[in-house]
């Protein structure tokens, strides 16, 4: 069965604003900061799983240096505001990731050249959920 994927059906919404101006390649990455469980193996081989309470994660956006969303993200960083962020993928069923408590880790270094450069923005999410 053939399927179609369209990046235009993927949205990132940070503090109510749709983020635009993504670089080519892998412009959006979501990663939990810790594993969901920690396995403990006893001397006799008995295994116990401890549930991790760490729900933090990192969302990394790779934007073009010309992205009209960069001033919005810079303002969120300068204001030190805790904001909601959501990633919604409407391709073949909906995937969602994000949280209500996010902060910009730091604005990336910038460079200029004869080609459009990528700008990587890291966002820490205190309550990352994926569905």
């Amino acid at each position: 069965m053939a399927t179609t994927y369209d990046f235009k059906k993927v949205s990132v919404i940070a503090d109510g604003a749709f983020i635009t101006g993504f670089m080519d390649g892998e412009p959006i990455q979501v990663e939990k900061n810790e594993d969901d469980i920690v396995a403990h193996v006893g001397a006799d081989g008995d295994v116990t799983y401890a549930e991790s309470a760490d729900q933090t994660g990192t969302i990394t956006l790779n934007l073009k240096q010309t992205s009209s969303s960069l001033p919005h993200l810079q303002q969120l960083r300068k204001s030190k505001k805790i904001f909601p962020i959501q990633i919604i993928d409407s391709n073949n069923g909906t995937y969602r990731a994000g949280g209500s408590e996010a902060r910009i880790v730091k604005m990336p270094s910038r460079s200029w050249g004869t080609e459009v450069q990528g700008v990587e923005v890291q966002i820490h999410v205190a309550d990352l959920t994926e569905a």
Side-chain angles (χ1 to χ4, degrees):
M1 180 170 136
T3 59
T4 301
Y5 172 78
D6 184 357
F7 183 75
K8 291 179 182 178
K9 292 183 179 180
V10 179
S11 300
V12 177
I13 307 158
D15 197 35
F18 282 83
I19 304 302
T20 60
F22 293 98
M23 281 296 287
D24 197 17
E26 291 184 29
I28 304 168
Q29 298 166 354
V30 178
E31 182 177 12
K32 282 198 63 167
N33 291 336
E34 296 293 331
D35 295 336
D36 289 336
I37 56 103
V38 177
H40 296 272
V41 181
D44 61 356
D46 184 50
V47 178
T48 303
Y49 294 107
E51 297 289 332
S52 174
D54 187 343
Q55 296 300 312
T56 64
T58 302
I59 294 175
T60 304
L61 305 176
N62 193 7
L63 304 172
K64 295 189 295 184
Q65 71 188 55
T66 58
S67 170
S68 62
S69 296
L70 283 173
H72 175 69
L73 295 170
Q74 289 170 333
Q75 182 57 39
L76 286 173
R77 183 192 59 82
K78 286 180 185 176
S79 70
K80 300 180 181 179
K81 181 178 182 179
I82 296 172
F83 59 92
I85 186 165
Q86 289 293 317
I87 298 167
I88 302 169
D89 179 355
S90 298
N91 286 286
N92 302 325
T94 301
Y95 169 83
R96 291 178 177 260
S100 61
E101 299 179 352
R103 290 240 357 232
I104 306 289
V105 175
K106 66 178 181 177
M107 287 306 286
S109 59
R110 307 271 303 256
S111 62
W112 292 263
T114 58
E115 299 287 329
V116 173
Q117 304 296 312
V119 177
E120 190 175 274
V121 179
Q122 289 187 344
I123 302 167
H124 183 270
V125 183
D127 57 344
L128 183 70
T129 57
E130 295 181 81

